[in-house]
Amino acid sequence: DGHPDSERLSVKQRWRSLAPPQVYALAYLAAGAAPAFQQPTQIISFSFTPARELEFTDSALRYLASPPPRAQLTYGYDRWVRRPERRPRIDGLLRALSAARAKRHQALASGVGAVAFRGVLTRILTAPYEERDGWDMNVMRVNDVLYFEEHLTEEKLREKNDLPPQQRLQTYMGYAFESYCTSATPSPSNPPSVNVPQAPGDPPGWSGDVDTNVQWCSVVRTKLGETTFVIGGEVDCVRGKYTGKTNTFVELKTSMVIRNRQDEMRFEKKLLKFYMQSFLLGVPEILVGFRKPGGEVTTTQTFRTAEIPRLVRGKAHGWDPARCLAWGDAFFKFLKKHVHSDKQTERVATGEKLQREPEDKGNEERTQPEAAVWRVTFRPG
Ligand code: A3P
Ligand code: MG
Ligand code: MG
């Protein structure tokens, strides 16, 4: 079939664009069979503190708790400590990678082909089915390693910081669900118990007010086709014990209650994002809270990540992860071929320092490889 994916993609290095024929060649590749994806293994973890300091501890790790019946997700909205939206940067991940290399085997350094936060890779891999949101990526290459960052335009950044009140509340509800479903200490029982509220006046199950500065992140190493990836991502909590592996990780999600076939269809389309996000980090379990428009959770459902593709297979609105992986594999091969590491860069890049974008002035100091930034753009057709 006429793979439309390629026509929506452009790769540019400053003034230079890649010629269309090369983009078509990519589409040809994407038609191939699904490449293998290796089970991700954790190489290091880190936490962001309430002061948004990165530390190599598990202070922000949370344990799964059972949400109380009819949890109200608008609770605590006025006390939300909200981290302002900034350009998503790879710095934290690079610091983690350096720390992992210093602490453990140098082998971590060899063979890595791409480094990115999980959100960026989710956007890339789900592109074949994306109908609405385009993206812009910054891609940097130092020696044989590609580094990815999502590039938010000024306009997008402003949009994210000035969400209409209703959308802002909806975003908050996702975080409130996390407060009900997690605890700073492991639950003594399985299934886990409902949290005892910490502050007077808090509802049953509330584990504390939402502070979106705080995040626990896992960094994994995995392989898609022939490309070895180092991927960092936030993990919402772990079930039971923290094993230092991905096998007890749990992703928390909220979604609107399903009332009819159309709602069901919408949810099943959305499952691709839930699936890919979790799959990339090796998260085996997704707990979804279904809520009413007003914020009351009516039911919860656990999904095994590996079983999700079967739920949508063959449906008209369905999706096939194999197509995403084939596309992704071709996409990374394509970039490796066309995004060059300039000689000057290779000499400079002994440490890890990325070139600042001009519009970055005033942002925090970068800590990454000094390299030319390529802009990769995707627009849904
Ligand atoms: P829900 O997914 O339950 O709506 P994550 O699910 O990735 O752990 O993210 C936690 C919450 O952050 C989400 O909860 C949502 O409220 C908010 N969030 C994440 N990504 C977002 C995005 N791209 N736009 C708006 N809100 C987002
Ligand atoms: Mg999360
Ligand atoms: Mg979540």
Side-chain angles (χ1 to χ4, degrees):
D1 54 348
H3 283 268
D5 311 339
S6 58
E7 293 157 24
R8 302 185 250 150
L9 191 77
S10 81
V11 181
K12 286 181 189 160
Q13 185 193 18
R14 293 177 190 148
W15 59 92
R16 226 152 47 94
S17 304
L18 290 173
Q22 291 166 318
V23 178
Y24 286 101
L26 177 65
Y28 180 73
L29 278 170
F37 184 81
Q38 197 177 67
Q39 179 62 37
T41 50
Q42 179 174 280
I43 58 176
I44 196 167
S45 60
F46 61 89
S47 295
F48 283 109
T49 66
R52 198 61 192 173
E53 276 153 1
L54 187 159
E55 54 180 39
F56 293 103
T57 72
D58 296 315
S59 64
L61 174 67
R62 295 290 179 266
Y63 298 88
L64 185 67
S66 287
R70 303 175 52 191
Q72 180 53 44
L73 301 183
T74 53
Y75 180 76
Y77 180 51
D78 51 332
R79 295 189 301 276
W80 178 13
V81 178
R82 187 171 170 276
R83 178 167 67 100
E85 295 284 348
R86 317 193 70 165
R87 286 221 161 78
R89 289 305 186 205
I90 200 175
D91 299 49
L93 181 54
L94 290 181
R95 282 182 57 195
L97 189 53
S98 303
R101 281 169 181 163
K103 251 205 284 202
R104 311 235 317 269
H105 27 254
Q106 192 59 26
L108 282 174
S110 69
V112 175
V115 178
F117 272 118
R118 167 268 305 272
V120 176
L121 297 181
T122 304
R123 307 268 278 158
I124 293 171
L125 289 175
T126 57
Y129 295 101
E130 182 57 51
E131 293 166 338
R132 203 186 51 193
D133 300 320
W135 41 252
D136 302 275
M137 300 282 166
N138 292 333
V139 183
M140 289 136 288
R141 180 175 178 154
V142 178
N143 301 324
D144 285 330
V145 190
L146 294 172
Y147 298 86
F148 293 85
E149 282 181 340
E150 181 160 10
H151 169 77
L152 286 185
T153 57
E154 281 297 334
E155 190 198 344
K156 267 200 186 161
L157 203 57
R158 232 187 337 258
E159 255 172 44
K160 278 194 140 186
N161 271 313
D162 299 321
L163 286 183
Q166 188 53 31
Q167 235 174 301
R168 199 175 144 122
L169 178 61
Q170 275 178 22
T171 301
Y172 174 77
M173 291 198 261
Y175 296 122
F177 186 60
E178 294 178 356
S179 177
Y180 285 112
C181 291
T182 65
S183 163
T185 51
S187 174
S189 60
N190 187 25
S193 48
V194 175
N195 287 319
V196 177
Q198 299 294 301
D202 283 350
W206 187 253
S207 69
D209 291 341
V210 174
D211 181 344
T212 40
N213 289 296
V214 179
Q215 289 181 302
W216 186 71
C217 296
S218 173
V219 180
V220 302
R221 186 183 158 108
T222 184
K223 213 170 166 186
L224 172 66
E226 284 150 36
T227 312
T228 296
F229 282 84
V230 168
I231 308 174
E234 189 197 7
V235 176
D236 292 335
C237 62
V238 298
R239 179 184 279 276
K241 281 200 186 77
Y242 173 51
T243 58
K245 299 191 215 120
T246 66
N247 65 326
T248 60
F249 289 2
V250 181
E251 171 60 42
L252 302 170
K253 286 286 177 196
T254 60
S255 197
M256 211 66 100
V257 172
I258 295 170
R259 295 154 306 182
N260 51 45
R261 293 299 291 270
Q262 204 199 345
D263 289 350
E264 184 181 54
M265 187 190 82
R266 240 185 255 136
F267 177 72
E268 287 179 345
K269 281 179 140 186
K270 205 161 66 175
L271 273 179
L272 170 59
K273 285 188 180 144
F274 293 10
Y275 170 80
M276 198 56 81
Q277 176 185 6
S278 302
F279 172 82
L280 284 169
L281 221 57
V283 178
E285 177 180 352
I286 305 171
L287 174 63
V288 181
F290 291 96
R291 66 165 177 87
K292 293 203 225 171
E296 184 191 320
V297 177
T298 55
T299 51
T300 58
Q301 189 177 348
T302 290
F303 294 86
R304 305 296 308 172
T305 305
E307 290 169 11
I308 290 177
R310 203 167 40 87
L311 302 177
V312 301
R313 190 173 301 156
K315 297 192 176 175
H317 57 275
W319 42 267
D320 181 358
R323 184 172 171 209
C324 296
L325 297 183
W327 149 254
D329 187 38
F331 177 78
F332 297 118
K333 277 186 186 144
F334 175 82
L335 291 184
K336 263 193 264 178
K337 194 158 170 208
H338 298 293
V339 171
H340 300 293
S341 168
D342 52 85
K343 284 283 166 281
Q344 198 179 353
T345 296
E346 285 176 22
R347 273 190 287 109
V348 175
T350 47
E352 289 188 308
K353 263 185 170 262
L354 278 193
Q355 175 179 290
R356 255 185 224 232
E357 286 183 87
E359 63 265 46
D360 267 354
K361 286 205 184 76
N363 262 15
E364 68 265 54
E365 206 53 52
R366 311 299 310 277
T367 50
Q368 300 136 341
E370 190 101 26
V373 179
W374 294 63
R375 181 68 46 78
V376 182
T377 299
F378 167 80
R379 295 286 174 267

